[in-house]
Amino acid sequence: MLFSGMFIPTLKENPQEAEIISHRLMLRAGMIRKLAAGIYSYLPLGFKVLKKVENIIRSQMNSAGAQELLLPTLHPRHLWEETGRWNEYGKEMLKVLDRHKREFGLGPTHEEIITDLARREIKSYRQLPLILYQFQTKFRDEIRPRFGIMRCREFLMKDAYSFDKDAEGLAKNYDKMYETYNNIFTQCGLEFKLVEADPGLIGGSVSHEYMVLADTGEEELLTCQKCDYAIKAKAEHNLTSCPKCKGKFASIRGIEVGHIFQLGTKYSDLLKANFLDENGKQTPFVMGCYGIGVSRIVAAAIEQSHDDDGIIWQMPIAPFEVLILPISIADDKIMKVSGELYKKLKKEGIDVVLDDRDEQAGVKFKDTDLIGIPIRITVGTKTIKENNVEIKLRKDKNSFKEKISETPCKVKELLKNMK
Ligand code: ATP
Ligand code: MG
């Protein structure tokens, strides 16, 4: 892509309203804009990152044998009455009336909807096991929406639901999702911890949360300094050492990006969602549910990886992999080298942007650092005289020279190591 044609409204000044770094940097990098409290627009750059995260999740979910679908966001009141959650969910659920004065809730989560679908469509044990998932905008009227897209009233979630004929099947699917989530967060390049969790309003028994480690995280965690055990600090204040290996605990902070639950028959009992088992007996589905805050991952990744100049993206979720920066667009030689490199990299399937804007080099350097593109290739008068360009990795302090002809090869090698 050509930078000049892109809608990336970067800001020089720090926006007053932003309390945490990711919020500030997303506004400054032109990734998001606020419409109302806890409601944000994703501009092209922010949307691109969101899609990269979404695609990592999609590919891992598909590999695990889960199937994608899309459920409605408007939920009829009677379904939520059946589980008692119309009242239980309280003010966090946004409610609307249609023209016939019928009440609907805007979906904050989808257990009712998926269980209703299952009770209508899945009749026999032969149709099990099954994992269904979706990417969807969720609505939660949070008391204190804050920190940009970290805690929103409208946000993107990936939610999955498993259906099994017995507890053994559920345990298997749960393990599969547990592993799949590990793969997803690893592939996003995030440093994270897994903690045992409280099932809360969703219900069920066994439950785990995935926490991205960052100083600004809302959750305080105790992690063992010897093994990988971690727990939420508030639930287990009296623990002084690791129950697994007796190692010492350290206190750190985390951002919840994923939550998995063994629901058992909670929803299938309440909604009378049954299938015929091997013995011809009506039996409730044994369910699990698995959520990931897709949009929250984007903010969490920035909290975890940035410096004073801006975002430092991990390659798999960077808005672009490579940026080519011609020092002056008035110089024909520079533009020729830049244009040819751009074409070659594009042909290799590399996600590259050419900063062809008529701006001072200083402005371009600042924006590249702010936006956080992992690989920058600078094309300048002096270097091209020696048939070189300058390559700099966003995460490193120093740059190095590379032969123009060798550059596509070098970039491919760098990409391989950074994925
Ligand atoms: P939290 O404790 O942060 O409110 P939750 O327990 O209510 O989260 P779940 O119902 O498990 O969250 O939803 C699945 C995932 O959706 C969470 O792990 C989180 O990453 C994300 N999420 C939840 N609420 C929000 C929100 N208001 N804004 C952005 N992402 C959210
Ligand atoms: Mg919540």
Side-chain angles (χ1 to χ4, degrees):
M1 289 212 201
L2 301 180
F3 206 130
S4 63
M6 285 201 69
F7 179 47
I8 309 177
T10 56
L11 306 173
K12 282 193 196 74
E13 304 299 327
N14 267 328
Q16 288 299 314
E17 81 247 38
E19 291 170 68
I20 60 168
I21 290 155
S22 59
H23 187 194
R24 201 149 63 220
L25 288 176
M26 289 186 85
L27 288 169
R28 284 195 53 207
M31 294 175 69
I32 54 167
R33 286 295 182 263
K34 179 171 162 179
L35 177 65
I39 305 176
Y40 285 83
S41 302
Y42 288 82
L43 311 192
L45 203 67
F47 187 65
K48 214 158 172 260
V49 176
L50 198 66
K51 284 288 152 186
K52 286 205 175 175
V53 174
E54 190 180 303
N55 284 332
I56 289 173
I57 299 173
R58 177 175 289 114
S59 118
Q60 289 290 342
M61 291 300 291
N62 290 347
S63 297
Q67 297 171 62
E68 189 170 359
L69 48 50
L70 183 59
L71 301 167
T73 49
L74 283 172
H75 300 182
R77 173 176 176 158
H78 69 86
L79 265 184
W80 283 71
E81 291 281 11
E82 278 189 64
T83 59
R85 286 210 296 181
W86 184 259
N87 290 323
E88 200 187 337
Y89 221 93
K91 289 194 171 151
E92 213 166 293
M93 187 157 172
L94 283 153
K95 291 163 182 169
V96 293
L97 284 179
D98 73 5
R99 64 169 77 202
H100 306 294
K101 304 270 182 302
R102 280 185 294 239
E103 274 187 286
F104 290 83
L106 289 172
T109 178
H110 279 66
E111 286 78 16
E112 278 78 359
I113 310 307
I114 198 89
T115 312
D116 176 60
L117 185 75
R119 74 177 164 184
R120 290 166 190 278
E121 306 300 332
I122 307 175
K123 301 292 178 201
S124 156
Y125 71 94
R126 287 195 196 88
Q127 292 164 278
L128 302 173
L130 204 58
I131 305 179
L132 301 170
Y133 76 97
Q134 62 171 346
F135 288 96
Q136 199 190 42
T137 299
K138 297 283 194 265
F139 299 88
R140 293 184 182 179
D141 202 357
E142 300 272 354
I143 298 183
R144 270 190 74 209
R146 60 183 182 275
F147 304 151
I149 61 162
M150 193 76 90
R151 182 168 296 284
C152 274
R153 297 199 292 164
E154 184 181 325
F155 61 96
L156 187 65
M157 195 198 283
K158 188 284 305 173
D159 47 328
Y161 305 88
S162 66
F163 295 89
D164 278 283
K165 62 182 167 73
D166 52 26
E168 218 183 312
L170 168 61
K172 249 194 205 156
N173 268 332
Y174 189 82
D175 283 352
K176 202 190 265 177
M177 283 300 110
Y178 183 102
E179 275 311 310
T180 301
Y181 273 39
N182 276 330
N183 295 341
I184 289 169
F185 298 122
T186 305
Q187 219 189 323
C188 287
L190 296 166
E191 201 193 328
F192 65 97
K193 278 268 178 203
L194 217 118
V195 298
E196 281 167 28
D198 165 17
L201 257 189
I202 308 274
S205 51
V206 180
S207 160
H208 288 89
E209 285 176 1
Y210 293 77
M211 300 282 182
V212 164
L213 307 182
D215 295 339
T216 48
E218 286 185 297
E219 305 279 357
E220 190 190 346
L221 311 177
L222 298 175
T223 76
C224 178
Q225 291 176 307
K226 260 168 120 185
C227 71
D228 61 1
Y229 186 80
I231 46 164
K232 287 216 240 185
K234 56 179 174 223
E236 325 265 320
H237 260 314
N238 44 2
L239 271 181
T240 48
S241 63
C242 174
K244 262 191 175 168
C245 75
K246 298 274 169 290
K248 260 197 183 157
F249 272 138
S251 164
I252 52 167
R253 303 203 71 87
I255 301 164
E256 181 195 325
V257 288
H259 200 164
I260 59 177
F261 305 79
Q262 291 195 10
L263 296 171
T265 56
K266 176 179 171 180
Y267 291 91
S268 36
D269 283 337
L270 289 167
L271 289 160
K272 300 189 181 53
N274 300 317
F275 63 96
L276 277 184
D277 72 8
E278 285 100 325
N279 306 314
K281 200 173 140 241
Q282 290 285 343
T283 312
F285 296 107
V286 183
M287 294 173 56
C289 82
Y290 316 89
I292 292 187
V294 185
S295 43
R296 187 180 281 181
I297 284 181
V298 178
I302 299 174
E303 285 301 325
Q304 194 166 74
S305 182
H306 62 265
D307 63 14
D308 289 345
D309 299 321
I311 304 166
I312 305 175
W313 291 111
Q314 301 297 317
M315 191 59 86
I317 62 170
F320 292 101
E321 293 169 326
V322 179
L323 179 135
I324 300 172
L325 195 153
I327 290 290
S328 156
I329 66 159
D331 185 318
D332 290 345
K333 274 188 204 139
I334 286 181
M335 289 319 282
K336 188 161 174 274
V337 171
S338 300
E340 277 168 9
L341 261 180
Y342 173 69
K343 273 193 208 134
K344 274 193 189 136
L345 295 184
K346 246 185 108 158
K347 223 172 146 191
E348 297 282 352
I350 293 166
D351 195 3
V352 55
V353 57
L354 172 62
D355 194 349
D356 60 338
R357 293 177 300 164
D358 187 9
E359 291 280 1
Q360 297 285 326
V363 171
K364 293 189 185 185
F365 283 124
K366 275 220 166 70
D367 277 349
T368 320
D369 283 349
L370 174 61
I371 292 168
I373 315 294
I375 301 174
R376 183 187 81 196
I377 303 173
T378 309
V379 186
T381 323
K382 250 167 89 185
T383 38
I384 58 171
K385 266 190 192 141
E386 304 154 2
N387 284 318
N388 286 331
V389 290
E390 181 207 82
I391 300 181
K392 184 178 172 299
L393 304 187
R394 178 64 180 86
K395 65 181 171 63
D396 293 344
K397 275 245 156 351
N398 300 319
S399 61
F400 58 91
K401 279 181 191 163
E402 184 62 59
K403 285 258 162 298
I404 294 171
S405 57
E406 295 293 317
T407 298
C409 255
K410 182 70 196 172
V411 168
K412 274 205 292 193
E413 184 194 316
L414 286 169
L415 279 168
K416 222 170 126 191
N417 295 333
M418 289 167 86
K419 268 193 173 158

